[in-house]
Amino acid sequence: VNQLVDLTMSSSACDVASIVYASTKESHPYIRTMCDATEKGVKSLAEATASCVQPVLVSLEPQVAAANEYASKGLDKLGEKLPLLQKLVDQVISETKEMVSSRVADAKDVVSG
């Protein structure tokens, strides 16, 4: 999970989502109330789940370690094949807009020619 979150694309996407979430909460009092209640519920649920799951995770530690290693290798391969994952979301959006604009311009040239 840490390796996935450390990918530039994931980290950037989380930052963007966090900014939008915080901005929305600040702008809309009714949504803020709902979000605050949801956050408290999720926190309580996470704490309860963690305390119940911890003994199971300890007993499954070798299997979890093997799954972690397998997932880590998979993410490394994915990162090699998709260099896009090493870019910021804003950069990907900008490059995509440029590419689409260029293709549209090329199509216009073909149609008008």
Side-chain angles (χ1 to χ4, degrees), residues 1-5 7 70-80 85-86:
V1 171
N2 287 337
Q3 188 176 1
L4 181 62
V5 172
L7 288 172
Y70 182 75
S72 180
K73 288 178 183 178
L75 282 172
D76 288 342
K77 287 183 182 179
L78 190 61
E80 291 169 9
L85 295 174
Q86 302 303 327

Side-chain angles (χ1 to χ4, degrees), residues 7-33:
L7 288 172
T8 305
M9 175 71 81
S10 299
S11 176
S12 176
C14 288
D15 290 345
V16 169
S18 178
I19 290 167
V20 169
Y21 178 77
S23 174
T24 302
K25 272 181 67 172
E26 291 302 315
S27 301
H28 305 290
Y30 296 116
I31 292 176
R32 178 180 359 182
T33 302

Side-chain angles (χ1 to χ4, degrees), residues 96-110:
T96 302
K97 285 179 180 179
E98 289 175 20
M99 182 184 70
V100 169
S101 178
S102 173
R103 298 290 165 99
V104 168
D106 291 345
K108 284 181 181 178
D109 291 344
V110 169

Side-chain angles (χ1 to χ4, degrees), residues 26-43:
E26 291 302 315
S27 301
H28 305 290
Y30 296 116
I31 292 176
R32 178 180 359 182
T33 302
M34 184 180 69
C35 289
D36 289 343
T38 302
E39 289 170 12
K40 287 178 186 174
V42 168
K43 183 178 178 185

Side-chain angles (χ1 to χ4, degrees), residues 61-101:
E61 192 171 337
Q63 292 85 351
V64 170
N68 183 47
E69 184 177 337
Y70 182 75
S72 180
K73 288 178 183 178
L75 282 172
D76 288 342
K77 287 183 182 179
L78 190 61
E80 291 169 9
K81 293 183 181 193
L82 295 173
L84 176 77
L85 295 174
Q86 302 303 327
K87 295 182 179 183
L88 297 173
V89 170
D90 293 339
Q91 184 180 6
V92 172
I93 291 170
S94 175
E95 290 174 2
T96 302
K97 285 179 180 179
E98 289 175 20
M99 182 184 70
V100 169
S101 178

